[in-house]
Every structure is written in C-alpha cells, then in structure tokens.
Amino acid sequence: MNVVIVANAPSLRLDPYREMIAGADLVIAADGGANALIEAGFRPAIVIGDLDSLGATRLALLAADGVEVRRFPREKDETDLELALLHAVAIGATHIDILGALGGRWDHTFANVAMLAMPELQGRQVRLIDERQRLFLVRDQALLEGQRGDTLSLLPLTPTVCGITTRGLFYALDDATLHFERARGVSNILIDPPGFISLREGLLLVVQHDDRGAFQFAAGIEPC
C-alpha cells in the first residue's frame, strides 16, 4: 500500500507533487497538512492530530466531504506526524512518502528526520520528500535511483555505521566506517544509476539532491 502523508510545513506548495498525491492508495494529513491539500484542491482520506492548525471552517469543510478526523489531545507524547506514521503502519502501508516535513522550525525538521529510525518503520520504504531532495534511511541495503550527477550525502544516525559498500558512486566505499560526528559522507555523486549501498551495522541517512550535477559540475567535478 502506497501512502502519502502531508505534514504542516510553512508555505507548503503541493503543485510539484500532484501526480504523487493522485496516485497514492491513501492520503493522510498530519493536522495542518490538510490546509495545503485543500488549497491544492485535494482532500485527505483522514486528518490526524490535535488539530490546532486547522480552523473550524476547514474542519467543517472536511467533515462535509466525508474526511475522517481523528482528534488527539494537545498534551500528548507524539507529534502529529508521528501519529500519522503510526496510523500508516497500522493499516499496512509498505511505501510512505512524507511531504512538508522539511523546512520551518529546525527542531521539528530534526525530529522528523530522526523518526525515520522508528522501529515500526523497519521493512517499509519511507521517504521525506522536498522539491529538490529526498531523504531515506538505509538499515541494510538500498538501490540509489536518480539521475547521473545527483549529489548524495551519507550521514550516520548512529555513533558509527560499519561495513558500508557502495556501487555507482564517484567516491567509492568498500567495507568503510562512517562516524556520526564526522562529515566524510557529505557530497558524494551518483555517476552510474541506479547505484547501490549496503552496510553491516548501524543506521545511515541518505540525502539525495535532484540537481543532476549542478553542485558538482559547476565546481569542475565531471563524473567519468
């Protein structure tokens, strides 16, 4: 099941994601993410959260359109996005694309990235998607799809990530170790898509920029 979750990023525009939203099996709004969906002419199947970012008029509009609304207390342990993710897991989502989780408050952005490591998400493809970048977690191995020249950064979310081996990247790694407090994995280049990455231990965040070489080629780095 392919689920799209729309979070409440400031000034979120959904025009670049119309095809993704329309093709989803289910669309979930994490609280104020429903505002962006309404403004783009979409309706979520469900709205989840404490609803402090949705006015009464829009709540009434959603209810009139048959949208399920799940209201939680404002004093809760989980963020609205975490509640939406847990619901997606509960209904059997295998692919989860999250829009509107990057930008705005840095603490929210950091927490949203960290949530990729939730144990409930293991075995599911989960991505945080922005207009020109996408973030996903590698627990064991993954294909690195995209365009030749895309910039990829490999960032440990655990103190160390061991046994990293890559294929199709400009800076090759062979049974390498990356450390959380070091920046060695920043700004690699996809030169032979799809690339491949595997690891033996740890959690590795991949940040992939859909720049088609703009960052690298402009600096005089031309992949072979």
Side-chain angles (χ1 to χ4, degrees), residues 31 118 125 150 162 178 181 186 201:
D31 199 343
M118 290 168 55
Q125 179 184 292
D150 281 359
C162 304
L178 294 179
E181 72 279 8
V186 171
E201 181 181 344

Side-chain angles (χ1 to χ4, degrees), residues 4-9 28-33 48-50 76 78-89 96-102 108-116 118 121 126-128:
V4 169
I5 298 175
V6 182
N8 189 30
I28 301 173
D31 199 343
I48 296 177
D50 55 28
K76 60 188 188 306
E78 303 86 359
T79 64
D80 297 325
L81 178 55
E82 186 174 355
L83 291 171
L85 278 167
L86 291 172
H87 181 74
V89 169
I96 305 172
D97 286 330
I98 306 167
L99 307 174
L102 305 173
H108 279 188
T109 297
F110 187 83
N112 294 341
V113 172
M115 277 192 286
L116 292 173
M118 290 168 55
L121 300 181
V126 184
R127 305 185 298 177
L128 303 177

Side-chain angles (χ1 to χ4, degrees), residues 23 25 30 33 40 46 50 55 60 69 85 88 90 107 118 122 132 134 140 150 152 157 185 202 213 221:
D25 295 313
I46 181 171
D50 55 28
V69 177
L85 278 167
D107 51 347
M118 290 168 55
Q122 187 164 0
R132 299 302 301 274
R134 55 189 178 273
D140 44 25
D150 281 359
L152 292 94
L157 287 190
I221 300 175

